[in-house]
Amino acid sequence: MESGPAIFAGAAFALFGAALLLWTGVRLRQGEPVALGVAPRTAAVVTTLSGAASLLLGIWCFGRL
C-alpha cells in the first residue's frame, strides 16, 4: 500500500533532478545564462546542487521500497 506513493515520489524527484542537471549542463556548455539576473557561477552552483539533491532524494525514495 505504501509503495505506490514512494514510487511516484521517487520517480518525480529523480526525473526532476536528472532533467535539471541535464538542462544546467547544456546551458553551461552553450555559454548561455542559467538564470537571468543572477551571477553565472552562483546560478550554476545552486542549480547543480538542487538537481543533485533532487536526484539523491529520488534514489532514497526508491531505496525505501
Side-chain angles (χ1 to χ4, degrees):
M1 186 78 155
E2 294 178 5
S3 64
I7 291 171
F8 177 76
F13 281 122
L15 286 174
F16 176 75
L20 187 59
L21 287 173
L22 179 67
W23 180 79
T24 303
V26 168
R27 296 293 285 185
L28 290 173
R29 182 173 288 243
Q30 292 176 349
E32 298 289 327
V34 176
L36 296 176
V38 181
R41 286 188 183 183
T42 303
V45 168
V46 169
T47 55
T48 300
L49 290 176
S50 299
S54 291
L55 190 58
L56 289 173
L57 189 57
I59 292 170
W60 179 78
C61 286
F62 285 132
R64 302 288 297 173
L65 294 178

